[in-house]
Short mmCIF file of all heavy atoms in Angstrom, two decimals:
data_model
loop_
_atom_site.label_atom_id
_atom_site.label_comp_id
_atom_site.label_asym_id
_atom_site.label_seq_id
_atom_site.Cartn_x
_atom_site.Cartn_y
_atom_site.Cartn_z
N VAL B 117 -167.65 37.33 -58.07
CA VAL B 117 -168.11 36.97 -59.33
C VAL B 117 -169.22 37.85 -59.83
O VAL B 117 -170.35 37.94 -59.15
CB VAL B 117 -168.53 35.50 -59.43
CG1 VAL B 117 -169.25 35.33 -60.62
CG2 VAL B 117 -167.19 34.57 -59.33
N SER B 118 -168.98 38.64 -60.91
CA SER B 118 -170.05 39.39 -61.54
C SER B 118 -170.70 38.56 -62.54
O SER B 118 -170.08 38.23 -63.58
CB SER B 118 -169.64 40.70 -62.01
OG SER B 118 -170.61 41.32 -62.72
N LEU B 119 -171.90 38.00 -62.36
CA LEU B 119 -172.63 37.18 -63.27
C LEU B 119 -173.28 37.91 -64.34
O LEU B 119 -174.11 38.83 -64.07
CB LEU B 119 -173.57 36.21 -62.52
CG LEU B 119 -174.29 35.22 -63.43
CD1 LEU B 119 -173.35 34.23 -63.95
CD2 LEU B 119 -175.37 34.54 -62.56
N ASN B 120 -173.01 37.60 -65.64
CA ASN B 120 -173.81 38.26 -66.71
C ASN B 120 -174.22 37.15 -67.67
O ASN B 120 -173.42 36.59 -68.39
CB ASN B 120 -172.76 39.11 -67.51
CG ASN B 120 -172.14 40.34 -66.59
OD1 ASN B 120 -171.40 40.07 -65.72
ND2 ASN B 120 -172.71 41.49 -66.75
N LEU B 121 -175.51 37.01 -67.74
CA LEU B 121 -176.07 36.01 -68.54
C LEU B 121 -176.64 36.60 -69.87
O LEU B 121 -177.07 37.76 -69.87
CB LEU B 121 -177.38 35.47 -67.84
CG LEU B 121 -177.13 34.11 -67.05
CD1 LEU B 121 -175.67 33.91 -66.63
CD2 LEU B 121 -178.25 34.14 -65.89
N ILE B 122 -176.47 35.90 -71.02
CA ILE B 122 -176.98 36.47 -72.21
C ILE B 122 -178.09 35.47 -72.65
O ILE B 122 -178.10 34.30 -72.26
CB ILE B 122 -175.97 36.51 -73.27
CG1 ILE B 122 -175.46 35.20 -73.64
CG2 ILE B 122 -174.94 37.54 -72.89
CD1 ILE B 122 -174.49 35.36 -74.93
N LEU B 123 -179.08 36.03 -73.36
CA LEU B 123 -180.25 35.20 -73.76
C LEU B 123 -180.12 34.35 -74.95
O LEU B 123 -180.74 33.27 -74.92
CB LEU B 123 -181.45 36.17 -73.98
CG LEU B 123 -181.87 36.98 -72.85
CD1 LEU B 123 -181.87 38.49 -73.14
CD2 LEU B 123 -183.13 36.54 -72.22
N GLU B 124 -179.22 34.68 -75.85
CA GLU B 124 -178.95 33.83 -76.97
C GLU B 124 -177.49 33.77 -77.17
O GLU B 124 -176.72 34.72 -77.03
CB GLU B 124 -179.53 34.58 -78.24
CG GLU B 124 -181.10 34.47 -78.22
CD GLU B 124 -181.62 33.06 -78.22
OE1 GLU B 124 -181.00 32.20 -78.82
OE2 GLU B 124 -182.69 32.80 -77.61
N PRO B 125 -176.97 32.63 -77.47
CA PRO B 125 -175.55 32.49 -77.60
C PRO B 125 -174.95 33.36 -78.89
O PRO B 125 -173.92 33.83 -78.79
CB PRO B 125 -175.32 31.02 -78.03
CG PRO B 125 -176.62 30.47 -78.45
CD PRO B 125 -177.61 31.31 -77.61
N GLU B 126 -175.86 33.61 -79.74
CA GLU B 126 -175.39 34.42 -80.89
C GLU B 126 -175.79 35.91 -80.73
O GLU B 126 -176.46 36.54 -81.55
CB GLU B 126 -175.93 33.92 -82.20
CG GLU B 126 -175.55 32.52 -82.47
CD GLU B 126 -175.84 32.10 -83.88
OE1 GLU B 126 -175.16 32.72 -84.85
OE2 GLU B 126 -176.64 31.25 -84.16
N THR B 127 -175.45 36.44 -79.62
CA THR B 127 -175.81 37.82 -79.26
C THR B 127 -175.01 38.79 -80.06
O THR B 127 -173.82 38.62 -80.34
CB THR B 127 -175.73 38.13 -77.79
OG1 THR B 127 -176.12 39.46 -77.48
CG2 THR B 127 -174.29 37.97 -77.29
N GLY B 128 -175.65 39.84 -80.46
CA GLY B 128 -174.98 40.95 -81.21
C GLY B 128 -174.41 41.91 -80.27
O GLY B 128 -173.68 42.91 -80.55
N ASP B 129 -174.77 41.81 -78.96
CA ASP B 129 -174.57 42.86 -78.04
C ASP B 129 -173.30 42.67 -77.21
O ASP B 129 -173.16 43.08 -76.03
CB ASP B 129 -175.66 42.97 -76.99
CG ASP B 129 -176.41 44.31 -77.01
OD1 ASP B 129 -175.89 45.16 -78.00
OD2 ASP B 129 -177.31 44.61 -76.30
N VAL B 130 -172.37 42.14 -77.89
CA VAL B 130 -170.97 41.82 -77.13
C VAL B 130 -170.39 43.15 -76.75
O VAL B 130 -169.93 43.27 -75.57
CB VAL B 130 -169.95 41.17 -78.15
CG1 VAL B 130 -168.56 41.08 -77.49
CG2 VAL B 130 -170.51 39.74 -78.53
N ASP B 131 -170.54 44.26 -77.47
CA ASP B 131 -169.90 45.54 -77.16
C ASP B 131 -170.44 46.01 -75.82
O ASP B 131 -169.74 46.48 -75.04
CB ASP B 131 -170.16 46.45 -78.39
CG ASP B 131 -169.09 46.39 -79.34
OD1 ASP B 131 -168.03 46.06 -79.10
OD2 ASP B 131 -169.49 46.73 -80.52
N ARG B 132 -171.86 45.99 -75.78
CA ARG B 132 -172.37 46.53 -74.54
C ARG B 132 -172.03 45.78 -73.33
O ARG B 132 -171.76 46.32 -72.31
CB ARG B 132 -173.98 46.53 -74.75
CG ARG B 132 -174.63 47.64 -73.81
CD ARG B 132 -176.00 47.90 -74.31
NE ARG B 132 -176.81 46.66 -74.37
CZ ARG B 132 -177.83 46.47 -73.62
NH1 ARG B 132 -178.26 47.36 -72.73
NH2 ARG B 132 -178.53 45.32 -73.67
N LEU B 133 -171.96 44.48 -73.44
CA LEU B 133 -171.57 43.59 -72.39
C LEU B 133 -170.13 43.90 -71.93
O LEU B 133 -169.82 44.10 -70.66
CB LEU B 133 -171.72 42.15 -72.82
CG LEU B 133 -171.81 41.12 -71.85
CD1 LEU B 133 -172.84 41.56 -70.78
CD2 LEU B 133 -172.24 39.77 -72.54
#
Side-chain angles (χ1 to χ4, degrees):
Chain B
V117 165
S118 171
L119 181 67
N120 299 75
L121 264 24
I122 64 172
L123 294 130
E124 290 298 329
E126 301 191 71
T127 181
D129 240 0
V130 174
D131 275 331
R132 204 163 55 117
L133 203 44

